[in-house]
Amino acid sequence: MPRTDENGRQLKALLDYLLDGEIDAKDLFDALGVSSSTYYRRIKESDYPNAEELRRVADRFDLSYPDLQIQFGLMSRQEVLNYVRATESTDLTVATLREITTKPSVRHRPKLSELTPRLDAPPL
């Protein structure tokens, strides 16, 4: 049985809720950087989602990584607060996730009708 959030939802259901709509499974396995078969195998395992998978999902969908970790029980709110306090006491600046996260550029493949032959390539 995979991990669930504080309300008993699995990752996909939580994302549907947070992002106000249906997230396709393809969006999730693209975000995780795995094949569809790996994704469907992973969602049945007890350690799904792990911290790295939550980080990738947070990056892709512009969500808070610490909040996702808290939701799925990988960190407590107190642990996050202790971490922030510890970094503040060492005079380090803590960047928020929104400041350091950039959306990945999405490249769309051209349609077949938009393709043209390469002049530098030999004929087949």
Side-chain angles (χ1 to χ4, degrees):
M1 185 74 186
R3 286 185 179 105
T4 58
D5 73 351
E6 297 168 333
N7 297 314
R9 294 177 288 216
Q10 292 184 10
L11 180 59
K12 184 179 178 319
L14 177 64
L15 292 175
D16 288 340
Y17 172 75
L18 292 174
L19 301 173
D20 293 327
E22 282 289 317
I23 298 278
D24 292 332
K26 182 181 183 333
D27 295 330
L28 259 176
F29 58 76
D30 284 346
L32 296 171
V34 297
S35 67
S36 61
S37 58
T38 300
Y39 168 74
Y40 285 109
R41 180 182 47 79
R42 277 292 292 141
I43 63 174
K44 297 174 187 171
E45 295 177 3
S46 62
D47 66 337
Y48 174 81
N50 61 29
E52 177 61 16
E53 290 165 332
L54 290 177
R55 185 194 60 77
R56 289 177 181 210
V57 166
D59 287 349
R60 175 61 65 91
F61 298 110
D62 197 26
L63 298 170
S64 168
Y65 174 50
D67 283 343
L68 287 178
Q69 286 187 314
I70 291 168
Q71 284 286 326
F72 284 93
L74 297 177
M75 289 183 79
S76 69
R77 293 183 196 287
Q78 190 60 47
E79 288 171 321
V80 171
L81 287 173
N82 290 344
Y83 174 77
V84 171
R85 286 184 187 130
T87 58
E88 286 174 347
S89 67
T90 59
D91 295 298
L92 295 176
T93 304
V94 176
T96 64
L97 187 58
R98 295 224 187 268
E99 291 173 356
I100 60 173
T101 301
T102 58
K103 287 195 174 196
S105 62
V106 177
R107 290 182 37 202
H108 297 285
R109 290 185 152 186
K111 295 179 182 177
L112 188 57
S113 61
E114 298 171 344
L115 295 176
T116 58
R118 288 181 35 202
L119 299 177
D120 64 328
L124 294 175

